[in-house]
Amino acid sequence: FAMAVPAALQRSVVSPAGRHSASLIFLHGSGDTGQGARAWIKQILNQDMAFQHIKVIYPTAPARPYTPMKGAFSTVWFDRYKISNDCPEHIESIDYMCRGLTDLINDEIKNGIAKNRILIGGFSMGGGMAMHVAYRFHQDLAGVFALSSFLNKDSAVYQALKRNENVLPELFQCHGTADELVLYSWGEETNKMLKSLGVSASLHTFPNLNHELNRTEIEKLKSWIEKKLPVEAAKAN
């Protein structure tokens, strides 16, 4: 029996208003869906997060047994032994989903989008997943964002970067100081560790913000996205 290949991920898509020349993949937090993440951002902004030239893709993680919920099925990108930065990673489930997300990236490339015109990121577990995808397998992506996210202490991401010679995608990180689920210190430690391994990384701190998104954060993220994926000048014929 060959390695199981993930089925194509269901996705909710916000199409660009004009010519599609870049793509953004937004990964939801544990237990959510692509549709749910899109609706949450839409509620915060009073409109979809939309762009002139960037297609926004919100995939949904397939349901799987999730250990922190005593093995109940949940839409999570990977399994965890516990919600802590101080335990081993569940690397089999992480790598399985890296393959599913690679297929999604390849779909965009088949649509004529250059790899350096694709951004990946997400909220909470989605941001953790994005860091695995980009820093271990797709170091030529335009950038990565992680909102209220973290990596475990000796993450496979850190191991991969210790051996790396490439120029790495820039990281845009945001974290609330009042986060009780993913501690601010875990996000900060992840940021320091990635910086020490050659990643150009920023960390935007939000006082009194819990494990959630807010408008200022999404506006900041939007500006960063537009900086990383600018509108391309019309090509002369």
Side-chain angles (χ1 to χ4, degrees), residues 4-200:
V5 179
L9 297 166
Q10 285 185 304
R11 52 199 91 161
S12 179
V13 174
V14 181
S15 298
R19 195 177 69 84
H20 175 207
S21 71
S23 295
L24 168 70
I25 299 167
F26 190 106
L27 306 179
H28 63 74
S30 58
D32 201 356
T33 60
Q35 208 80 38
R38 176 182 174 177
W40 189 21
I41 288 174
K42 193 171 179 172
Q43 183 199 337
I44 294 169
L45 294 177
N46 293 317
Q47 58 181 12
D48 267 314
M49 179 166 72
F51 302 89
Q52 191 59 33
H53 59 297
I54 307 167
K55 174 187 187 182
V56 185
I57 306 163
Y58 295 95
T60 296
R64 56 159 299 123
Y66 188 44
T67 303
M69 286 172 49
K70 299 186 166 45
F73 270 68
S74 185
T75 49
V76 290
W77 296 107
F78 48 86
D79 199 6
R80 283 189 174 131
Y81 296 106
K82 53 181 196 243
I83 299 174
S84 161
N85 70 343
D86 215 1
C87 62
E89 290 174 322
H90 194 288
I91 202 70
E92 298 82 358
S93 61
I94 291 172
D95 286 357
Y96 175 78
M97 201 39 64
C98 282
R99 293 201 294 279
L101 289 164
T102 293
D103 290 344
L104 183 59
I105 290 167
N106 288 338
D107 282 349
E108 292 310 293
I109 294 168
K110 281 181 202 127
N111 286 331
I113 303 303
K115 191 114 170 251
N116 64 2
R117 297 280 293 165
I118 300 174
L119 272 179
I120 191 167
F123 174 72
S124 193
M125 175 186 262
M129 186 74 231
M131 291 187 273
H132 276 274
V133 170
Y135 294 122
R136 292 177 56 214
F137 299 103
H138 298 284
Q139 297 179 343
D140 43 359
L141 288 170
V144 187
F145 61 93
L147 316 173
S148 314
S149 308
F150 73 102
L151 291 169
N152 293 30
K153 281 193 195 303
D154 43 355
S155 174
V157 172
Y158 303 149
Q159 308 313 319
L161 294 185
K162 279 173 186 159
R163 301 184 295 271
N164 170 67
E165 300 296 310
N166 299 328
V167 176
L168 297 161
E170 186 188 325
L171 175 68
F172 176 93
Q173 223 180 321
C174 293
H175 216 115
T177 58
D179 197 325
E180 286 161 14
L181 184 68
V182 175
L183 302 185
Y184 177 77
S185 59
W186 301 356
E188 194 176 34
E189 197 175 304
T190 300
N191 191 273
K192 284 193 176 121
M193 196 65 194
L194 289 171
K195 269 188 177 147
S196 75
L197 292 165
V199 175
S200 161

